[in-house]
């Protein structure tokens, strides 16, 4: 049986993770109200575990809570589909019934309503794998445990989700135009041109590097302005088929930036610097004077 002090510690520990859990749930469900329900359910399950004396055995509380929220969201998405209450082809994300500053901050820290609509075209498992891995950096091994698949199957789910998201966001893919946008981004980063960066970034752009997420054109442009030193040794490249950049150090790829575009602006920047992840990427360097469709 827990003491009052134990209860307070558990509540404080949960509150430290609430913001991230709500962000995960919101991107999974597209609804602020449902996201709150999913997070509340995670708290209920944690409290029950504590009541059974099991909470002390949780080595990674953040990972445990993310798994619980992921499973709750997966059940909610599957229930939504089975009831056919909200056709996925026409469903539009909705905010909480009573807006509040936390909801506004969450929306500002997202990739925008447009991506939420695109995400809803995915199957529940694809959506969970894509959101947890691509947007929040959750390892495939952990994603696999949530969807009851192997890590390789989880990787394939995320990959399918990624392709569908890119395809839905890019109905008229023009690699030449994308290449020009990337060239403009690189030139602006090298020169520390803040306005030049804003010109090529979608207002709801998100940059993700591992578990670190930066959202909004101003914040991303500010971060890219500090990229000038590395931008000097960056080369245009195809990163797993996506238009992007590769940073070369002593002839080897030290990191990559893969871009997703919306209306000829950069909407998502996926930065990879982990050697293990880099080794799994297919990186094709482009000559500075190449057109993207000439490779």
């Amino acid at each position: 049986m827990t003491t009052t002090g134990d209860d307070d510690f558990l509540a404080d520990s949960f509150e430290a993770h609430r913001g991230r859990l709500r962000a995960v749930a919101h991107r999974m469900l597209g609804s602020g109200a449902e996201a709150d329900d999913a997070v509340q359910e995670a708290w209920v399950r944690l409290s029950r575990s504590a009541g059974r004396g099991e909470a002390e055995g949780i080595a990674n509380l953040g990972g445990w809570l993310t798994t619980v929220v992921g499973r709750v969201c997966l059940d909610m998405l599957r229930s939504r589909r089975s009831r056919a209450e909200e056709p996925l082809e026409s469903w539009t994300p909705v905010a909480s019934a009573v807006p509040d500053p936390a909801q506004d901050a969450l929306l500002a820290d997202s990739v925008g309503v447009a991506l939420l609509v695109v995400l809803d075209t995915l199957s529940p498992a694809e959506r969970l794998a894509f959101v947890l891995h691509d947007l929040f950096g959750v390892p495939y091994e952990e994603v696999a445990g949530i969807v009851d698949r192997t890590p390789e199957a989880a990787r394939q789910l995320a990959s399918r989700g990624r392709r569908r998201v890119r395809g839905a966001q890019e109905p008229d893919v023009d690699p030449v135009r994308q290449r020009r946008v990337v060239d403009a981004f690189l030139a602006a980063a090298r020169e520390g041109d803040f306005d030049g960066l804003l010109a090529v970034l979608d207002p709801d752009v998100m940059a993700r590097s591992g578990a670190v997420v930066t959202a909004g054109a101003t914040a991303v442009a500010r971060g890219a302005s500090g990229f000038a030193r590395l931008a000097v040794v960056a080369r245009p490249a195809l990163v797993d088929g996506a238009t992007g950049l590769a940073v070369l150090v002593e002839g080897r790829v030290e990191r990559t930036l893969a871009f997703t575009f919306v209306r000829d602006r950069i909407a998502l920047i996926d930065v990879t610097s982990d050697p293990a992840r880099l080794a799994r990427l297919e990186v094709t360097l482009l000559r500075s004077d190449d057109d993207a469709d000439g490779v």
Side-chain angles (χ1 to χ4, degrees), residues 54-90:
E54 300 170 356
E56 294 181 359
I58 300 175
N60 179 358
L61 181 61
W64 188 91
L65 289 169
T66 299
T67 297
V68 171
V69 167
R71 286 174 175 162
V72 170
C73 290
L74 194 59
D75 289 343
M76 293 172 74
L77 287 172
R78 286 170 173 166
S79 177
R80 181 189 291 170
R81 278 201 161 188
S82 64
R83 295 195 309 267
E85 291 179 352
E86 299 172 280
L88 296 184
E89 293 79 7
S90 59

Side-chain angles (χ1 to χ4, degrees), residues 86-221:
E86 299 172 280
L88 296 184
E89 293 79 7
S90 59
W91 177 78
T92 301
V94 294
S96 301
V98 180
D100 57 38
Q103 171 70 14
D104 293 339
L106 176 62
L107 291 174
D109 187 31
S110 72
V111 291
V113 173
L115 180 57
L116 290 173
V117 174
V118 173
L119 287 176
D120 211 55
T121 67
L122 307 180
S123 72
E126 288 172 344
R127 181 167 181 160
L128 182 139
F130 174 80
V131 168
L132 289 185
H133 180 267
D134 281 44
L135 301 188
F136 290 92
V138 176
Y140 285 120
E141 290 75 14
E142 295 181 25
V143 175
I146 299 174
V147 295
D148 294 324
R149 308 282 182 90
T150 65
E152 182 57 35
R155 182 192 302 276
Q156 292 174 356
L157 285 171
S159 179
R160 287 203 297 269
R162 192 178 307 121
R163 287 196 300 269
R164 294 181 66 183
V165 166
R166 286 173 176 164
Q169 289 181 320
E170 302 169 340
D172 300 310
V173 175
D174 186 332
V176 175
R177 285 206 309 267
Q178 290 185 356
R179 175 60 188 277
R180 288 171 182 160
V181 173
V182 171
D183 285 345
F185 173 88
L186 183 57
R190 285 173 174 170
E191 298 168 8
D193 181 359
F194 186 78
D195 290 336
L197 289 165
L198 289 179
V200 297
L201 296 174
D202 185 85
D204 293 318
V205 64
M206 181 175 70
R208 185 180 72 84
S209 179
V212 179
V213 177
T214 303
T218 299
V220 172

